[in-house]
Amino acid sequence: ATKQVLRTIQKLQARIGQLEGERNEPIAIVGIGCRFPGGADGPEAYWDMLRAGTDATGEVPADRWNAGAYYSSDPDAPGKMYTTRGGFLPAVDAFDPHFFGIAPREAMQLDPQQRLLLEVSWEAIEHANIAATDLRHSATGVFVGIISMEYGSHTLWSGDVEQIDAYSGTGSSLSVAAGRLSYVLGLNGPCMALDTACSSSLLAVHLACQSLRLGECSRALAGGVNLILGPELHINFSKARMLSPDGRCKTFDGSADGYGRGEGCGMIVLKRLSDALADGDEVLAQIKGSAVNHDGASGGLTVPNGPAQERMIRQALDSAGVQPEQVDYIEAHGTGTALGDPIEM
């Protein structure tokens, strides 16, 4: 009887060790797709732009809004913005609906963010050397950070009810932005759109990793998208004194005077490391660990909380099994503001 008990204990200990290993298994990045300002249409072009130190900011494109009509150097001027710069993509209205099996009439009502997600996700899948047709009926998850509903304000909620058609709601819905990816690709894994402001894309990746470790999905598409289509938020952020007048972030610098708004889309293909190695995938990077929390009460609704962020960093290090002294590169939120920068630093 004693031997039987010992064997049972050993089996349970082995299973616990196996579960611990699964819970902490690194997640492999096996594909990348991106579309960023400055001509960064793909990871290689993005890397070249970073190496060259290219300034990807510029004036508001004429097809977005009449920048001169809304500009004033006085931040208190009603209905005005004190900067007309940011990081913008060209030709966000260009789209091939037939490629994705979408009728032209429906495509007219599609938020350009949905179009961009489809294109960049397809590019990420190709970058991972995966045929899109092989993903049909697979347990592939979709996790998308998306916060802007500007297109809907110009279509569904424009005040002109006669332009509303059968596609207006799905064309502007944030949940459908993620759901359309699963629909077009025929994916059966978890699917969700996430809005946690600036952290939306990072949270999407965090939840994708958790889902993979739990076995909810076999691979995942994770990332985010943002487009700046109207002047309203530029005006709002000008009133809150958040924006840098020259449209550039000068993070952790004495000249920091706000942040520059930008747009783009980035999606990555994720798999459990053991699966990626077994499948012979090229592993571009590994996600060892991650953590999430909220600042809670702080000096203000938009003011960061240093101790809360420190606790989260400790949780992420513990999750990854990494010591602080092993970290040799940090990418910061870096708003470039006199209030946020010192707390983050």
Side-chain angles (χ1 to χ4, degrees):
T2 303
K3 290 181 179 179
Q4 182 65 34
V5 169
L6 286 173
R7 279 196 293 268
T8 302
I9 292 173
Q10 288 170 348
K11 287 180 181 179
L12 289 172
Q13 287 175 332
R15 179 56 180 154
I16 289 171
Q18 181 184 359
L19 290 172
E20 283 291 317
E22 292 173 358
R23 185 177 71 86
N24 297 314
E25 181 176 7
I27 302 300
I29 299 174
V30 298
I32 300 173
C34 66
R35 200 80 59 80
F36 297 133
D41 295 345
E44 292 80 10
Y46 184 42
W47 178 240
D48 289 342
M49 188 188 78
L50 292 174
R51 290 185 65 189
T54 303
D55 182 355
T57 65
E59 291 292 323
V60 175
D63 60 358
R64 306 300 177 88
W65 66 81
N66 182 347
Y70 290 99
Y71 175 77
S72 173
S73 59
D74 178 8
D76 294 317
K80 303 292 184 180
M81 60 187 72
Y82 59 76
T83 180
T84 58
R85 292 184 62 85
F88 297 96
L89 294 178
V92 296
D93 58 341
F95 182 63
D96 180 3
H98 299 291
F99 184 84
F100 296 102
I102 299 172
R105 182 181 174 189
E106 181 176 7
M108 291 293 292
Q109 293 289 353
L110 279 192
D111 185 334
Q113 293 180 131
Q114 291 195 27
R115 307 173 201 170
L116 198 55
L117 271 173
L118 287 168
E119 293 173 345
V120 174
S121 296
W122 190 280
E123 291 165 4
I125 292 167
E126 286 187 332
H127 191 256
N129 292 313
I130 299 172
T133 51
D134 291 343
L135 295 179
R136 273 194 111 63
H137 309 302
S138 69
T140 299
V142 172
F143 302 82
V144 175
I146 179 171
I147 66 176
S148 173
M149 296 186 70
E150 291 186 29
Y151 196 69
S153 68
H154 295 283
T155 54
L156 188 60
W157 300 291
S158 67
D160 182 4
V161 295
E162 292 186 2
Q163 71 169 317
I164 298 175
D165 66 15
Y167 304 112
S168 299
T170 53
S172 57
S173 167
L174 299 188
S175 61
V176 175
R180 193 180 296 276
L181 264 179
S182 293
Y183 171 75
V184 168
L185 296 171
L187 313 178
N188 295 134
C191 177
M192 61 191 73
L194 301 152
D195 175 5
T196 55
C198 306
S199 62
S200 300
S201 298
L202 284 175
L203 180 62
V205 172
H206 170 76
L207 293 180
C209 291
Q210 299 291 70
S211 184
L212 283 162
R213 292 188 178 108
L214 288 172
E216 294 177 333
C217 56
S218 56
R219 64 176 65 80
L221 279 164
V225 65
N226 183 61
L227 288 177
I228 304 168
L229 302 176
E232 291 81 7
L233 285 177
H234 241 62
I235 295 170
N236 171 218
F237 295 155
S238 290
K239 294 294 171 279
R241 309 295 201 276
M242 292 180 177
L243 300 181
S244 169
D246 64 7
R248 301 179 180 92
C249 294
K250 295 166 282 285
T251 306
F252 304 137
D253 191 87
S255 62
D257 56 0
Y259 86 102
R261 294 186 74 198
E263 57 186 19
C265 180
M267 295 295 289
I268 54 178
V269 182
L270 301 172
K271 297 176 78 171
R272 290 179 288 270
L273 179 61
S274 58
D275 291 339
L277 295 176
D279 294 340
D281 295 317
E282 180 183 2
V283 177
L284 304 171
Q286 295 179 35
I287 300 174
K288 294 279 192 177
S290 58
V292 60
N293 73 357
H294 192 279
D295 277 348
S298 64
L301 180 63
T302 61
V303 178
N305 182 327
Q309 293 194 1
E310 180 181 332
R311 285 193 293 272
M312 185 180 67
I313 291 170
R314 291 187 183 279
Q315 290 169 3
L317 290 169
D318 183 60
S319 167
V322 171
Q323 296 300 311
E325 61 269 20
Q326 293 177 277
V327 177
D328 55 19
Y329 180 87
I330 298 172
E331 181 176 345
H333 184 206
T335 53
T337 60
L339 176 62
D341 277 6
I343 296 174
E344 187 171 12
M345 177 63 81

